[in-house]
Amino acid sequence: LKEMRYQPCCGVVYCNTCIFGSWACKDPREKGQLCPHCRADNHTTKETFIERLNKRIEMNDSNAMHIMACFHFSGRWGIPKNIQKAIIMWEDAGREGCSQSFNALADMYRVGCDVKRDITKTLKYTKLAVSKGNIMATHNLALYIFFGVGVKANKEEAIRLWKSTASNGFRPSLRTLVNNDLISDDEYKKVMSAFRENTKEDIDLKI
């Protein structure tokens, strides 16, 4: 998965490869100085960043909501730590389409970080994240199904999900299948072909 970067000036999300590539096409004096999409100043103060983020939240920008929820959860960037506010904002962001927010809630209840551990809520938010297309949540759901954590164990269904996420470029799923001998040689070739197509990585975990 590519590392992503959110631009609070305009709400555009870039992978770092794209953002660095866009800088290479600009005037060398502007490299890293301006947003490659809206041309706003990239080098801003913490206060300006939060101000831009709040403006995006007013526009129901789910990514901005997610980031602000993370700040409330951790108490970073001058935002007071407030777990309940973080939970509410993550739920709002998830409903607006940010699958990461549902996944964050699932992880919070799974680990018991500042809340009581709750497998029922973990599964609830994991499934919501999966419904929004979150590949990491799908991988995690397969783990719960494989071991019967909070759900009836179904190894065949778990393996099917891991094959799907591995084919879509999620390396932890690929390693799970290979390291635990859960995939035949013929199936491995099919999954690896799709993995390479989606990631452009020429790897072979069985060598």
Short mmCIF file of all heavy atoms in Angstrom, two decimals, residues 160-200:
data_model
loop_
_atom_site.label_atom_id
_atom_site.label_comp_id
_atom_site.label_asym_id
_atom_site.label_seq_id
_atom_site.Cartn_x
_atom_site.Cartn_y
_atom_site.Cartn_z
N ARG A 160 -10.50 -17.53 1.59
CA ARG A 160 -11.05 -16.84 0.40
C ARG A 160 -10.81 -15.33 0.51
O ARG A 160 -10.41 -14.69 -0.46
CB ARG A 160 -12.55 -17.12 0.27
CG ARG A 160 -13.18 -16.51 -0.98
CD ARG A 160 -14.69 -16.58 -0.95
NE ARG A 160 -15.26 -15.69 0.05
CZ ARG A 160 -15.40 -14.38 -0.14
NH1 ARG A 160 -15.00 -13.80 -1.26
NH2 ARG A 160 -15.95 -13.63 0.81
N LEU A 161 -11.05 -14.78 1.70
CA LEU A 161 -10.84 -13.34 1.91
C LEU A 161 -9.36 -12.98 1.78
O LEU A 161 -9.02 -11.96 1.17
CB LEU A 161 -11.36 -12.93 3.29
CG LEU A 161 -12.89 -12.94 3.46
CD1 LEU A 161 -13.25 -12.71 4.93
CD2 LEU A 161 -13.54 -11.89 2.58
N TRP A 162 -8.48 -13.81 2.34
CA TRP A 162 -7.04 -13.53 2.24
C TRP A 162 -6.57 -13.60 0.80
O TRP A 162 -5.72 -12.81 0.38
CB TRP A 162 -6.26 -14.51 3.10
CG TRP A 162 -6.23 -14.13 4.55
CD1 TRP A 162 -6.19 -12.87 5.07
CD2 TRP A 162 -6.23 -15.02 5.67
NE1 TRP A 162 -6.17 -12.91 6.44
CE2 TRP A 162 -6.20 -14.22 6.85
CE3 TRP A 162 -6.27 -16.41 5.80
CZ2 TRP A 162 -6.18 -14.77 8.13
CZ3 TRP A 162 -6.26 -16.95 7.08
CH2 TRP A 162 -6.21 -16.15 8.22
N LYS A 163 -7.10 -14.54 0.03
CA LYS A 163 -6.73 -14.61 -1.39
C LYS A 163 -7.14 -13.32 -2.11
O LYS A 163 -6.41 -12.81 -2.97
CB LYS A 163 -7.40 -15.81 -2.05
CG LYS A 163 -6.81 -17.17 -1.68
CD LYS A 163 -7.58 -18.28 -2.36
CE LYS A 163 -7.10 -19.65 -1.93
NZ LYS A 163 -7.93 -20.74 -2.53
N SER A 164 -8.32 -12.82 -1.75
CA SER A 164 -8.82 -11.59 -2.38
C SER A 164 -7.95 -10.40 -2.03
O SER A 164 -7.56 -9.62 -2.91
CB SER A 164 -10.27 -11.34 -1.93
OG SER A 164 -10.74 -10.10 -2.43
N THR A 165 -7.63 -10.23 -0.74
CA THR A 165 -6.82 -9.08 -0.34
C THR A 165 -5.38 -9.20 -0.84
O THR A 165 -4.77 -8.21 -1.23
CB THR A 165 -6.83 -8.91 1.20
OG1 THR A 165 -6.54 -10.18 1.82
CG2 THR A 165 -8.18 -8.41 1.68
N ALA A 166 -4.86 -10.42 -0.86
CA ALA A 166 -3.51 -10.63 -1.40
C ALA A 166 -3.48 -10.31 -2.89
O ALA A 166 -2.55 -9.65 -3.37
CB ALA A 166 -3.06 -12.08 -1.18
N SER A 167 -4.50 -10.72 -3.61
CA SER A 167 -4.58 -10.43 -5.05
C SER A 167 -4.63 -8.93 -5.31
O SER A 167 -4.16 -8.45 -6.34
CB SER A 167 -5.80 -11.11 -5.66
OG SER A 167 -5.70 -12.51 -5.59
N ASN A 168 -5.22 -8.20 -4.37
CA ASN A 168 -5.34 -6.75 -4.51
C ASN A 168 -4.13 -6.00 -3.98
O ASN A 168 -4.14 -4.78 -3.89
CB ASN A 168 -6.60 -6.26 -3.81
CG ASN A 168 -7.84 -6.52 -4.66
OD1 ASN A 168 -7.96 -6.05 -5.79
ND2 ASN A 168 -8.78 -7.30 -4.12
N GLY A 169 -3.08 -6.74 -3.62
CA GLY A 169 -1.82 -6.09 -3.27
C GLY A 169 -1.51 -5.95 -1.79
O GLY A 169 -0.57 -5.23 -1.43
N PHE A 170 -2.26 -6.64 -0.92
CA PHE A 170 -2.00 -6.53 0.51
C PHE A 170 -1.03 -7.62 0.94
O PHE A 170 -1.40 -8.78 1.09
CB PHE A 170 -3.31 -6.62 1.30
CG PHE A 170 -3.19 -6.15 2.72
CD1 PHE A 170 -2.85 -4.84 3.00
CD2 PHE A 170 -3.44 -7.01 3.78
CE1 PHE A 170 -2.74 -4.38 4.32
CE2 PHE A 170 -3.33 -6.58 5.10
CZ PHE A 170 -2.99 -5.26 5.36
N ARG A 171 0.21 -7.24 1.17
CA ARG A 171 1.27 -8.23 1.42
C ARG A 171 1.06 -9.06 2.69
O ARG A 171 1.37 -10.26 2.69
CB ARG A 171 2.64 -7.55 1.47
CG ARG A 171 3.79 -8.54 1.48
CD ARG A 171 5.13 -7.87 1.45
NE ARG A 171 5.37 -7.19 0.19
CZ ARG A 171 6.59 -6.80 -0.20
NH1 ARG A 171 7.64 -7.05 0.55
NH2 ARG A 171 6.74 -6.17 -1.35
N PRO A 172 0.55 -8.49 3.81
CA PRO A 172 0.32 -9.34 5.00
C PRO A 172 -0.58 -10.53 4.72
O PRO A 172 -0.38 -11.62 5.27
CB PRO A 172 -0.33 -8.37 6.00
CG PRO A 172 0.24 -7.04 5.62
CD PRO A 172 0.31 -7.06 4.12
N SER A 173 -1.58 -10.36 3.84
CA SER A 173 -2.45 -11.49 3.48
C SER A 173 -1.68 -12.54 2.69
O SER A 173 -1.85 -13.74 2.90
CB SER A 173 -3.65 -11.00 2.67
OG SER A 173 -4.46 -10.13 3.42
N LEU A 174 -0.83 -12.07 1.80
CA LEU A 174 -0.02 -12.99 1.00
C LEU A 174 0.91 -13.79 1.91
O LEU A 174 1.03 -15.01 1.77
CB LEU A 174 0.79 -12.20 -0.03
CG LEU A 174 1.62 -12.99 -1.03
CD1 LEU A 174 0.73 -13.89 -1.88
CD2 LEU A 174 2.42 -12.05 -1.92
N ARG A 175 1.53 -13.12 2.86
CA ARG A 175 2.43 -13.81 3.78
C ARG A 175 1.67 -14.80 4.67
O ARG A 175 2.17 -15.89 4.97
CB ARG A 175 3.17 -12.79 4.66
CG ARG A 175 4.19 -11.97 3.89
CD ARG A 175 5.10 -11.19 4.84
NE ARG A 175 6.08 -10.40 4.12
CZ ARG A 175 7.21 -10.87 3.60
NH1 ARG A 175 7.48 -12.17 3.73
NH2 ARG A 175 8.03 -10.09 2.96
N THR A 176 0.47 -14.42 5.08
CA THR A 176 -0.35 -15.33 5.90
C THR A 176 -0.64 -16.62 5.16
O THR A 176 -0.53 -17.71 5.71
CB THR A 176 -1.67 -14.64 6.29
OG1 THR A 176 -1.39 -13.48 7.09
CG2 THR A 176 -2.57 -15.59 7.08
N LEU A 177 -1.00 -16.50 3.90
CA LEU A 177 -1.31 -17.67 3.09
C LEU A 177 -0.08 -18.56 2.89
O LEU A 177 -0.15 -19.78 3.02
CB LEU A 177 -1.85 -17.23 1.73
CG LEU A 177 -3.23 -16.58 1.72
CD1 LEU A 177 -3.50 -15.92 0.37
CD2 LEU A 177 -4.32 -17.60 2.02
N VAL A 178 1.04 -17.93 2.58
CA VAL A 178 2.26 -18.69 2.26
C VAL A 178 2.89 -19.28 3.53
O VAL A 178 3.21 -20.47 3.57
CB VAL A 178 3.28 -17.79 1.53
CG1 VAL A 178 4.61 -18.51 1.36
CG2 VAL A 178 2.73 -17.37 0.17
N ASN A 179 3.04 -18.46 4.57
CA ASN A 179 3.73 -18.91 5.78
C ASN A 179 2.98 -20.00 6.53
O ASN A 179 3.58 -20.76 7.30
CB ASN A 179 3.98 -17.73 6.71
CG ASN A 179 4.97 -16.73 6.13
OD1 ASN A 179 5.65 -17.02 5.15
ND2 ASN A 179 5.04 -15.55 6.73
N ASN A 180 1.66 -20.08 6.31
CA ASN A 180 0.86 -21.09 7.01
C ASN A 180 0.38 -22.21 6.08
O ASN A 180 -0.50 -22.99 6.45
CB ASN A 180 -0.34 -20.41 7.68
CG ASN A 180 0.07 -19.45 8.77
OD1 ASN A 180 0.43 -19.86 9.86
ND2 ASN A 180 0.04 -18.16 8.47
N ASP A 181 0.98 -22.27 4.87
CA ASP A 181 0.65 -23.33 3.90
C ASP A 181 -0.86 -23.43 3.65
O ASP A 181 -1.43 -24.52 3.67
CB ASP A 181 1.18 -24.69 4.39
CG ASP A 181 2.70 -24.73 4.43
OD1 ASP A 181 3.33 -24.16 3.51
OD2 ASP A 181 3.26 -25.31 5.38
N LEU A 182 -1.47 -22.28 3.42
CA LEU A 182 -2.92 -22.24 3.21
C LEU A 182 -3.30 -22.12 1.73
O LEU A 182 -4.48 -21.96 1.41
CB LEU A 182 -3.52 -21.06 3.99
CG LEU A 182 -3.33 -21.08 5.50
CD1 LEU A 182 -3.85 -19.78 6.11
CD2 LEU A 182 -4.06 -22.27 6.11
N ILE A 183 -2.32 -22.22 0.85
CA ILE A 183 -2.59 -22.00 -0.56
C ILE A 183 -1.79 -23.00 -1.39
O ILE A 183 -0.61 -23.26 -1.12
CB ILE A 183 -2.25 -20.54 -0.96
CG1 ILE A 183 -2.72 -20.23 -2.37
CG2 ILE A 183 -0.78 -20.23 -0.75
CD1 ILE A 183 -2.64 -18.75 -2.71
N SER A 184 -2.45 -23.59 -2.38
CA SER A 184 -1.77 -24.55 -3.25
C SER A 184 -0.86 -23.82 -4.23
O SER A 184 -0.95 -22.60 -4.40
CB SER A 184 -2.80 -25.37 -4.04
OG SER A 184 -3.46 -24.54 -4.99
N ASP A 185 0.02 -24.56 -4.87
CA ASP A 185 0.96 -23.95 -5.82
C ASP A 185 0.22 -23.28 -6.98
O ASP A 185 0.59 -22.18 -7.42
CB ASP A 185 1.93 -25.00 -6.36
CG ASP A 185 2.94 -25.44 -5.32
OD1 ASP A 185 3.12 -24.71 -4.31
OD2 ASP A 185 3.55 -26.51 -5.49
N ASP A 186 -0.81 -23.93 -7.49
CA ASP A 186 -1.57 -23.35 -8.61
C ASP A 186 -2.29 -22.08 -8.18
O ASP A 186 -2.30 -21.07 -8.91
CB ASP A 186 -2.59 -24.37 -9.14
CG ASP A 186 -1.92 -25.50 -9.93
OD1 ASP A 186 -0.76 -25.31 -10.35
OD2 ASP A 186 -2.56 -26.54 -10.12
N GLU A 187 -2.90 -22.10 -7.00
CA GLU A 187 -3.60 -20.92 -6.50
C GLU A 187 -2.61 -19.79 -6.22
O GLU A 187 -2.90 -18.62 -6.46
CB GLU A 187 -4.38 -21.25 -5.23
CG GLU A 187 -5.58 -22.16 -5.47
CD GLU A 187 -6.19 -22.64 -4.16
OE1 GLU A 187 -5.43 -22.86 -3.20
OE2 GLU A 187 -7.42 -22.77 -4.11
N TYR A 188 -1.44 -20.16 -5.72
CA TYR A 188 -0.40 -19.18 -5.43
C TYR A 188 0.01 -18.43 -6.70
O TYR A 188 0.18 -17.21 -6.69
CB TYR A 188 0.81 -19.86 -4.80
CG TYR A 188 2.01 -18.96 -4.61
CD1 TYR A 188 2.03 -18.02 -3.58
CD2 TYR A 188 3.11 -19.04 -5.46
CE1 TYR A 188 3.13 -17.19 -3.40
CE2 TYR A 188 4.20 -18.22 -5.29
CZ TYR A 188 4.21 -17.29 -4.26
OH TYR A 188 5.29 -16.47 -4.10
N LYS A 189 0.17 -19.17 -7.79
CA LYS A 189 0.56 -18.54 -9.05
C LYS A 189 -0.49 -17.52 -9.50
O LYS A 189 -0.15 -16.43 -9.98
CB LYS A 189 0.74 -19.61 -10.13
CG LYS A 189 1.97 -20.49 -9.92
CD LYS A 189 2.04 -21.58 -10.98
CE LYS A 189 3.23 -22.51 -10.74
NZ LYS A 189 3.29 -23.62 -11.72
N LYS A 190 -1.77 -17.85 -9.34
CA LYS A 190 -2.85 -16.94 -9.74
C LYS A 190 -2.85 -15.68 -8.86
O LYS A 190 -2.98 -14.56 -9.36
CB LYS A 190 -4.21 -17.64 -9.63
CG LYS A 190 -4.42 -18.76 -10.65
CD LYS A 190 -5.77 -19.44 -10.42
CE LYS A 190 -5.97 -20.59 -11.40
NZ LYS A 190 -7.27 -21.30 -11.15
N VAL A 191 -2.72 -15.91 -7.55
CA VAL A 191 -2.72 -14.78 -6.61
C VAL A 191 -1.51 -13.89 -6.85
O VAL A 191 -1.62 -12.66 -6.86
CB VAL A 191 -2.75 -15.29 -5.15
CG1 VAL A 191 -2.48 -14.14 -4.17
CG2 VAL A 191 -4.09 -15.94 -4.84
N MET A 192 -0.33 -14.51 -7.07
CA MET A 192 0.88 -13.73 -7.30
C MET A 192 0.80 -12.92 -8.58
O MET A 192 1.30 -11.79 -8.65
CB MET A 192 2.10 -14.66 -7.35
CG MET A 192 2.66 -15.04 -6.00
SD MET A 192 3.02 -13.64 -4.90
CE MET A 192 4.07 -12.63 -5.92
N SER A 193 0.17 -13.47 -9.60
CA SER A 193 0.01 -12.75 -10.85
C SER A 193 -0.81 -11.47 -10.63
O SER A 193 -0.45 -10.39 -11.11
CB SER A 193 -0.68 -13.64 -11.89
OG SER A 193 -0.90 -12.92 -13.09
N ALA A 194 -1.90 -11.60 -9.87
CA ALA A 194 -2.75 -10.44 -9.57
C ALA A 194 -2.01 -9.47 -8.65
O ALA A 194 -2.11 -8.24 -8.82
CB ALA A 194 -4.05 -10.90 -8.93
N PHE A 195 -1.28 -10.01 -7.67
CA PHE A 195 -0.52 -9.16 -6.74
C PHE A 195 0.49 -8.30 -7.50
O PHE A 195 0.59 -7.09 -7.28
CB PHE A 195 0.20 -10.04 -5.71
CG PHE A 195 1.05 -9.27 -4.73
CD1 PHE A 195 0.51 -8.83 -3.54
CD2 PHE A 195 2.39 -9.00 -5.01
CE1 PHE A 195 1.29 -8.12 -2.63
CE2 PHE A 195 3.17 -8.28 -4.12
CZ PHE A 195 2.63 -7.85 -2.92
N ARG A 196 1.24 -8.93 -8.39
CA ARG A 196 2.25 -8.19 -9.16
C ARG A 196 1.60 -7.15 -10.06
O ARG A 196 2.14 -6.05 -10.24
CB ARG A 196 3.08 -9.16 -10.00
CG ARG A 196 3.96 -10.11 -9.18
CD ARG A 196 4.89 -10.89 -10.07
NE ARG A 196 5.68 -11.87 -9.32
CZ ARG A 196 5.51 -13.17 -9.37
NH1 ARG A 196 4.56 -13.68 -10.15
NH2 ARG A 196 6.26 -13.98 -8.67
N GLU A 197 0.46 -7.49 -10.63
CA GLU A 197 -0.24 -6.55 -11.50
C GLU A 197 -0.69 -5.32 -10.73
O GLU A 197 -0.62 -4.19 -11.23
CB GLU A 197 -1.46 -7.23 -12.13
CG GLU A 197 -2.30 -6.33 -13.03
CD GLU A 197 -1.56 -5.87 -14.27
OE1 GLU A 197 -0.63 -6.57 -14.73
OE2 GLU A 197 -1.91 -4.78 -14.78
N ASN A 198 -1.13 -5.52 -9.49
CA ASN A 198 -1.65 -4.41 -8.69
C ASN A 198 -0.58 -3.61 -7.99
O ASN A 198 -0.78 -2.42 -7.70
CB ASN A 198 -2.65 -4.93 -7.66
CG ASN A 198 -4.02 -5.20 -8.25
OD1 ASN A 198 -4.67 -4.30 -8.77
ND2 ASN A 198 -4.47 -6.44 -8.20
N THR A 199 0.56 -4.22 -7.69
CA THR A 199 1.60 -3.52 -6.94
C THR A 199 2.82 -3.15 -7.80
O THR A 199 3.62 -2.32 -7.38
CB THR A 199 2.11 -4.38 -5.78
OG1 THR A 199 2.74 -5.57 -6.31
CG2 THR A 199 0.97 -4.78 -4.85
N LYS A 200 2.94 -3.79 -8.96
CA LYS A 200 4.12 -3.61 -9.82
C LYS A 200 5.39 -4.09 -9.13
O LYS A 200 6.50 -3.68 -9.48
CB LYS A 200 4.28 -2.14 -10.26
CG LYS A 200 3.03 -1.50 -10.84
CD LYS A 200 2.45 -2.30 -11.99
CE LYS A 200 1.16 -1.67 -12.52
NZ LYS A 200 0.49 -2.51 -13.54
#
